[in-house]
Amino acid sequence: MTDVWNGEPLPDRGRKYTEIHYRLYDRRTRALISFNSTNSLDCIVTDVLRTAAEHPNARIVAVEYDGPAYPN
């Protein structure tokens, strides 16, 4: 299966798995409203959608960090 964008095929690429440590904040109040470590963009998108549903008035901003919120 080839991905197509604007009628042009995109080059085939391999998947990449990188550990991502992030925190979600409300831009207006600067309150921390979620955090996680994952290697999946799907997980981040799901967290943002869940957090948006739980905090409907928040203006969510994501910040990536160089390590997990809690040490392993």
Side-chain angles (χ1 to χ4, degrees):
M1 180 168 150
T2 301
D3 290 328
V4 177
W5 186 260
N6 290 331
E8 297 291 325
L10 297 177
D12 289 332
R13 299 284 188 221
R15 291 186 181 209
K16 181 171 176 115
Y17 298 96
T18 302
E19 194 69 16
I20 303 167
H21 312 283
Y22 68 93
R23 299 176 193 183
L24 302 179
Y25 297 92
D26 182 335
R27 182 183 308 253
R28 289 177 300 143
T29 66
R30 298 185 176 158
L32 175 65
I33 52 180
S34 186
F35 63 91
N36 199 4
S37 293
T38 184
N39 65 1
S40 167
L41 286 176
D42 183 61
C43 180
I44 297 171
V45 170
T46 299
D47 190 18
V48 169
L49 293 173
R50 179 191 54 78
T51 302
E54 291 174 358
H55 302 272
N57 295 321
R59 308 255 325 169
I60 296 174
V61 60
V63 178
E64 185 178 357
Y65 288 89
D66 62 356
Y70 293 107
N72 293 354

